[in-house]
Amino acid sequence: MKKFTVVAAMATALLGSTAAMAAELEVTHWWTSAGEAAAIAEFAKVFEEQTGNTWVDSALAGSGTGANPVIISRIIGGDPMGATQMNTGRDAEELIQAGLMRDLTDVVADLNIEGFYVDPSLLEPCKFEGGLYCLPINIHSWDWLWLSTAAYEKIGQPVPTNWDEYVASWPALQEADILPFGLATGWPISGVPGVLMSGLGGSDLVLAINRDKDVEAVRGPEFRKVAEAMDSLRQVISPDMMVPSFGDVGTQLLEGTAAGNIHGDWLQGDLQVAGGVPGENYECLPALGLGDQLTGGGDSFYFPVLPEGTDPAVLEAQTQLARILISPEAQLKFNMVKGSMPIRTDIDLAAANPCMQKALGLLKNGLLPSGDFALSSDTQQQMQDLNIEFLDDDSITVDDYIERYASIIESAE
């Protein structure tokens, strides 16, 4: 009896010691849809299982446009979280330059990250004066046209194989009281011009505008195709039929009440959670079924510099999470649910669904710089405001749209 008591006491002491060493790490992100929440949960599970620490989830609504200001104000205001997701690109560059993000160079020094990243250029926005201040954890692309199998069954037509066939089907869809194009309110319109730019204008146009900030390219014939396509879209988008979130558009596609949508590959996560099967319930066309390259960006994790006196266990939890996020196990589990492409070249993707397989097939052609990657947050916001206004106001002509777009690019940093 005495021996048991001693052993029990020792076990209790050991458990207490382990508990004392465990840390709580607050993680902020804007993944709030069903598919996104399921994906971030995979990261949390791996982190907690491998470290014994607690992932404190702080989800922020509003995607990047709503969440970014909250994240930035907390960090600047001296109330940083342990880790935060933001877009891969220029969203956090001022925080990095101000010394408010942790340098991860030593944290990942032994991992040969330059060797296993599918596209090492994704790391460029994370670098500043020889340091590494974020870790891209996936490759997302806006460049997808999603089409409803049910909608085309209703009108007795095959599902289109490219943008031109899709546009040609709009009259028949309208006659059957099916929305040709489903759209959520707010930010989802912001990605549409870039997809049209890539699919209709081609790679050279994307590079000229996003990378080179070439104003004359905006005024040229190739971008006019983009503006005219935006004009055509607003003729078939009914404001009173717009839904609150992109996940709701996914529901419309599966029900067949909307026929198509341009949206990033993260929509795939919501379609999967809802039971949709690619090739059966919906079709996915990269680059509008016309192009051979995708614009690429995605999400990165940043680790803010924590205040002096922070528990060393929390600092260690930051280190552990940084390494776990890009580990083969976490990469596979997360991206299979999220719908994005993993950043690693050394994991087995045989189980990837047909949409991801299409994306992986295009990766060999290289990634084009997305707006998130190449343009400042301020420039992106100006473009989003313009796109929403153009959608809502028919008095804004195609020529007006082109000139206002050119003005934004002209002043872009």
Side-chain angles (χ1 to χ4, degrees), residues 118 292-293 341 357-367:
V118 172
D292 60 3
Q293 279 185 288
M341 294 172 280
Q357 294 291 359
K358 290 179 184 180
L360 293 169
L362 294 183
L363 269 184
K364 65 181 183 295
N365 299 326
L367 291 169

Side-chain angles (χ1 to χ4, degrees), residues 72-402:
I72 292 169
S73 65
R74 278 192 55 184
I75 295 171
I76 292 174
D79 181 28
M81 60 296 296
T84 188
Q85 165 252 346
M86 297 176 80
N87 285 328
T88 298
R90 299 180 59 183
D91 286 358
E93 64 182 2
E94 292 182 2
L95 296 175
I96 293 171
Q97 292 165 6
L100 296 174
M101 290 298 187
R102 182 176 173 183
D103 186 352
L104 303 172
T105 304
D106 292 340
V107 171
V108 298
D110 62 324
L111 297 182
N112 185 32
I113 62 173
E114 298 275 358
F116 66 65
Y117 264 80
V118 172
D119 190 333
S121 70
L122 292 169
L123 290 164
E124 290 307 311
C126 296
K127 296 176 179 178
F128 178 67
E129 295 185 347
L132 182 72
Y133 293 90
C134 64
L135 292 171
I137 47 85
N138 61 6
I139 299 174
H140 265 311
S141 176
W142 267 101
D143 291 82
W144 292 89
L145 174 61
W146 305 91
L147 297 170
S148 166
T149 303
Y152 284 94
E153 287 176 349
K154 289 178 183 178
I155 64 171
Q157 290 189 16
V159 178
T161 61
N162 59 47
W163 172 260
D164 297 329
E165 292 177 7
Y166 169 55
V167 172
S169 73
W170 289 356
L173 292 165
Q174 289 178 305
E175 189 174 334
D177 291 325
I178 296 170
L179 283 172
F181 191 87
L183 184 65
T185 57
W187 65 270
I189 189 63
S190 65
V192 174
V195 179
L196 295 171
M197 196 188 308
S198 174
L200 302 180
S203 302
D204 289 345
L205 183 66
V206 175
L207 293 171
I209 294 175
N210 285 355
R211 184 190 65 188
D212 302 334
K213 317 297 188 293
D214 184 347
V215 176
E216 291 312 308
V218 180
R219 297 190 174 107
E222 296 306 313
F223 188 80
R224 178 166 288 274
K225 294 178 187 176
V226 175
E228 290 173 345
M230 284 286 288
D231 184 45
S232 297
L233 271 177
R234 69 176 173 175
Q235 307 307 316
V236 298
I237 294 173
S238 174
D240 61 341
M241 292 297 289
M242 290 172 68
V243 291
S245 74
F246 72 84
D248 296 318
V249 177
T251 300
Q252 290 180 318
L253 295 177
L254 295 178
E255 292 173 344
T257 54
N261 179 236
I262 288 175
H263 200 81
D265 49 18
W266 52 93
L267 177 62
Q268 185 178 182
D270 279 60
L271 291 169
Q272 288 178 163
V273 168
V277 178
E280 295 181 18
N281 308 109
Y282 63 92
E283 294 292 346
C284 48
L285 302 182
L288 305 181
L290 300 171
D292 60 3
Q293 279 185 288
L294 298 173
T295 56
D299 302 287
S300 289
F301 267 82
Y302 298 77
F303 297 82
V305 173
L306 299 178
E308 282 189 39
T310 296
D311 185 344
V314 176
L315 297 175
E316 177 59 21
Q318 277 190 327
T319 297
Q320 292 170 323
L321 179 59
R323 295 172 67 88
I324 285 170
L325 291 172
I326 57 174
S327 68
E329 178 186 359
Q331 275 289 298
L332 186 61
K333 289 184 175 181
F334 170 78
N335 285 292
M336 284 296 186
V337 178
K338 190 69 162 61
S340 48
M341 294 172 280
I343 48 84
R344 298 190 69 109
T345 59
D346 56 356
I347 54 180
D348 184 3
L349 296 173
N353 75 25
C355 297
M356 187 185 290
Q357 294 291 359
K358 290 179 184 180
L360 293 169
L362 294 183
L363 269 184
K364 65 181 183 295
N365 299 326
L367 291 169
L368 294 169
S370 68
D372 289 337
F373 196 89
L375 304 172
S376 70
S377 295
D378 179 62
T379 299
Q380 292 175 56
Q381 186 62 55
Q382 291 179 56
M383 287 182 168
Q384 178 171 308
D385 293 343
L386 171 59
N387 292 321
I388 291 173
E389 189 179 351
F390 183 68
L391 188 69
D392 291 341
D393 186 354
D394 287 340
S395 70
I396 302 174
T397 67
V398 167
D399 287 338
D400 293 336
Y401 179 80
I402 290 172

Side-chain angles (χ1 to χ4, degrees), residues 53-65:
N53 295 319
T54 300
W55 172 296
V56 179
D57 197 80
S58 290
L60 300 167
S63 187
T65 54

